[in-house]
Amino acid sequence: MLFSYAFPDLTTDSFDPPVTNDSHDTLIEIYDRTSDNVKVFDAHSSKLRRKCEYFQVALSEKWARKIDDKYKLCLEVSIDAFEKILNGICNGKITLNDPDTDTLMELMLISDILLLQEFFDYLRSKLNGKRDKKKEWSDDDIFSILRTSYRIPSTQDLYLICQDVFAERPSILFNSPEFPHIEEELLMRILKLDMICLPEIEIFNKVIEWGIANTPDYHSLPDETSKINALGATLEDSLRLIQYKNMSEKERLTIRDYEQILPTQLVRYKIPPRSNLPVEPKAISSRFAGLIAMYVDRKDPTDNPYSGFNSPLQFRHVFRMNDRSSFYNEHHKYYNKSTYRLLPTMKCYHGRPSLMIIKLKGSGKIIGAYNPIDWKQDVPKRVYVSTSESFLFTCDDRYGTNFKISRVRDYNRAICLESVYPSGVLLKFGEDLTFSYSHSIYISSCINCNIKNKYYEQLGIADGYYNIEEWDVYKIHRKDDQPIIVMNKEVKITPQINLPVETKIVDNEFFELVATWIDRKDPVKDRYPWSDTPFTFTPLFRMNDRTDFYNQNTNHYNKSTNRLLPTMKCHHGPSLMIMKLKTSGKIIGAYNPVSWKQKLGRIGLCEYETTSESFIFSCDDKIGTNWLLSRVKNSRRAICSEEVYSLHNHVDNEVPNGVLLRFGEGLKFYHKEDRKGNYSVICDIRKNDSYEQPAIMPEGTYTIEEWEIFRVTKRDSKVQTRTYSPIISGYTTFNYIHSTNPSRKIKNRNPIRKIRNSHRKIVCDGFRPHQIIEDEFVALISTWIDGENSTEELDDPYDDFMNIPFQFTLLFRMNCRSNTHEKYYNQSTYNLLPTMKCHHGPSLMIMRIKDSEEIIGAYNPINWKSDFSNVKNKYVNTTESFIFSSKDEYGTDAKLNRVITPDKAMSQMSVYPNGVLLKFGEDLSFIYRHGNLHTNEPDYGYDDDIIWPHVICHVKKDGCYEQPPILPEGIYEIDGWEIYRVVRTDK
């Protein structure tokens, strides 16, 4: 069968050097280590750069230098494979005639070196197709993959599978005529295995055979002593990995001729042990058994992983379904006689914990279950036992490919005894893994398992009945005779079951993908299983719904559009839209992390919210096939609320009312009526600068067939460290790193957020109650106002907050207006700057630095109402003012700088365009900016060059306040600013 692949151009940039047919200007020397041959290829550098990222860099002006008017490169790969790829790059297309596994692996190695990722993925798909066609690899395939895959980082999964096969059948490698030609690195890797099912003396002889083949001029050396010494130099490292203590006395006598090159007795004693026989459980590979043991011990499987040989667990095989060998005679008491040796008895679980390994008929998939319970006692049928340690797992084969674990969530429903026809009882794992026996005079007996997600995490296999082909049961005990944990107090928590999402457009697994996008994780490597998804998706709106769902969510429907459009109430909190397009059936959607509690301000306006976390997406079907994600680029134009715009063919018709979300200029919605009076909703998709390109769909308008909106809320943490629920304003709406959310340690804190309204410590009259800093930081600042200097966190922030002798009344919040506080806003600065009226009385400023979580602030004890209202740039004297900073809103790593030059503590400063502000010595001052990038003059248009209005604070050192400064000297943009009137309540 012919395979063809076209190499795409890396760029269509007109500034790229044109592809020419001039004389070759590049020499590529290839050394083939296997054949020990060298070949030089001529090529055009312009063609190489246009098709291959590796050559684009290697032949760039920064790295490449011509020698004799030619570029020269050297690579160490297969000559034949490189020639195929080079011809493909130069001709734009490569054709392969039914390549064998060895050829595919060599091409993959070179593709990895040359950074041809798309071609590499194409080759990997062909390699996987060969296995799918054969059901399993042949011995030749195993050898070809083993000798090459260890050199390619992205094929380590293939290498580990082939390594497992080699450990059980070492003849695949050792008996191959190509064995003497393998790399030394591969030989060292396999000699480090702790299980090779071959007598150690035979392994030793194979190492000697390889050494002779790889010792230069071995056969031309004059005598045996010279040969052995030369051989010792070649095998110096390899001979240190032979398990000499595994040899018998007679076998050790046969290697006496090599005694002079063998390691010393001390070195031999330190060599880690190895098994030359297969270890249980034989139903799965040794490495896979070690992985299961890691999960039994709740250890990180990437940290010093166990193998079957060095595992702390010992597995005793007690049941093998339908066995007719001597194994049955030795273990017959574990078989249910009435089921023709198809089912085990409860004796398999008497005395020790156990492990089930089940192979499904047809697919060959493996399902397993670990039971830590000792069922020694006789118990009535259908009785549940609690445990936190049981788990299920699934994988594609006995080597653990695509392994997925599913731990119990509801400990009280972990394991149950269940009555099984015709006689006997079996274990049942929640409702998630149960068994049934079928027997008829017309059909042969069979065993089925039923998969149903309920009390365990999502298993990764569809719910339903599956026929069992093979079934093995192993008893487990620890080699150190320590008891196995049944209920782990460290992980005992209130079980949280993530129920399926009520949706008619997509499958539940699609929400795993969305949750991964929200948390900015890699959807291929780090995709959440549903059980671990940290979000809950609550349906609020379902277009054109006529069921009870509408009655329960009527306030989320726009009444004037006959249930076709939602209201803005759907977005009172982070939300997710999912839409199905008419005709094509494609899925599009959008995530909004902003809480849109406010209504649209004035008619005809669009109100934008700033966020870096919104995104829009599309895919082909309900499971997310061929998904395309487009994240916001221009965070200031991320999301907008705008009036509903209707496309009516009849002018006299009444236009519906309400507002909708719009995502930049890339995704808009309209309400439409056709000539027949039928209503529909359409979305308009455009290329734009607000979101990543290409657009999620080709530009144009599309009719929406189905539309659902979900409220997105955080699930409680699996480790319960706090008792209060997360609030909407705590969600990430602006990610300052843009690739991963900034990690911040959440401390154990008392639930004091809600007490402010009843105790009136903080008065937010006219504003939403959320504030820049938390109450415990307010309590700490209160101690500073009272004259204390400690910046350590308070021992009991709840009591301290309750007892503070001050009341803080919010007067100004940047970018947010309150009807009762108009006089505190500078009208010419777009709600960004306060007026001096904020300081008619002692006041506290709190500011958040943009692109960080850092907080700065300042306390002013002066009443500016009387003496200085009309005096600019005049200092006032006080000993009580201070400025401060912290790492976050909790007051972490706080810095306090009190005034040290009282006669220059504070002054008024003029601020462009008009108005005055406080300035704290020379240490903290403010700047307002709004204008064109090139002219730096005011410009109120909407060009791309506009500097949108923003406020900057200027921090200086060596000023009038204590040192070092609260932040490193420089200018910082402010994205949050609050000012509070401070009134003492105890005097």
Side-chain angles (χ1 to χ4, degrees), residues 191-205:
L191 290 178
K192 290 177 181 178
L193 295 178
D194 61 7
M195 187 188 83
I196 301 178
C197 297
L198 191 71
E200 202 67 28
I201 185 64
E202 295 186 31
I203 298 174
F204 177 86
N205 291 335

Side-chain angles (χ1 to χ4, degrees), residues 719-770:
V719 180
Q720 298 292 329
T721 58
R722 295 191 289 180
T723 57
Y724 61 90
S725 300
I727 60 169
I728 290 170
S729 55
Y731 280 60
T732 302
T733 60
F734 205 94
N735 185 338
Y736 300 115
I737 300 180
H738 294 279
S739 59
T740 56
N741 290 329
S743 59
R744 174 170 53 81
K745 183 178 180 182
I746 303 298
K747 303 183 177 73
N748 293 324
R749 300 184 185 277
N750 287 311
I752 63 176
R753 175 181 294 280
K754 300 299 183 185
I755 67 173
R756 65 173 67 97
N757 289 332
S758 59
H759 294 277
R760 309 296 288 175
K761 298 298 181 183
I762 297 179
V763 179
C764 297
D765 184 33
F767 293 97
R768 283 181 290 171
H770 184 61

Side-chain angles (χ1 to χ4, degrees), residues 664-825:
E665 299 295 328
L667 183 59
K668 305 180 184 179
F669 305 97
Y670 306 110
H671 181 255
K672 182 179 180 181
E673 180 192 4
D674 62 19
R675 295 186 178 276
K676 296 181 180 180
N678 297 320
Y679 293 96
S680 61
V681 177
I682 64 173
C683 66
D684 187 11
I685 296 177
R686 298 292 174 197
K687 293 180 180 178
N688 67 100
D689 293 331
S690 299
Y691 284 78
E692 295 171 341
Q693 298 299 308
I696 57 174
M697 297 277 288
E699 280 193 307
T701 57
Y702 299 86
T703 302
I704 297 175
E705 181 178 7
E706 298 178 48
W707 187 349
E708 292 179 337
I709 298 179
F710 303 85
R711 171 81 36 78
V712 183
T713 53
K714 275 271 192 184
R715 293 177 67 199
D716 289 337
S717 173
K718 285 191 173 183
V719 180
Q720 298 292 329
T721 58
R722 295 191 289 180
T723 57
Y724 61 90
S725 300
I727 60 169
I728 290 170
S729 55
Y731 280 60
T732 302
T733 60
F734 205 94
N735 185 338
Y736 300 115
I737 300 180
H738 294 279
S739 59
T740 56
N741 290 329
S743 59
R744 174 170 53 81
K745 183 178 180 182
I746 303 298
K747 303 183 177 73
N748 293 324
R749 300 184 185 277
N750 287 311
I752 63 176
R753 175 181 294 280
K754 300 299 183 185
I755 67 173
R756 65 173 67 97
N757 289 332
S758 59
H759 294 277
R760 309 296 288 175
K761 298 298 181 183
I762 297 179
V763 179
C764 297
D765 184 33
F767 293 97
R768 283 181 290 171
H770 184 61
Q771 59 199 45
I772 293 178
I773 62 174
E774 295 295 331
D775 295 335
E776 44 263 65
F777 195 11
V778 175
L780 180 61
I781 293 171
S782 298
T783 66
W784 298 340
I785 297 175
D786 244 0
E788 297 184 17
N789 292 317
S790 174
T791 57
E792 297 296 325
E793 293 186 14
L794 303 174
D795 294 334
D796 192 341
Y798 176 79
D799 286 341
D800 286 319
F801 183 82
M802 293 291 292
N803 295 322
I804 61 175
F806 303 100
Q807 184 180 71
F808 298 86
T809 302
L810 183 59
L811 304 179
F812 169 85
R813 177 180 286 155
M814 191 169 79
N815 264 331
C816 185
R817 296 298 290 268
S818 167
N819 293 332
T820 58
H821 297 86
E822 287 286 328
K823 61 184 177 181
Y824 299 111
Y825 284 79

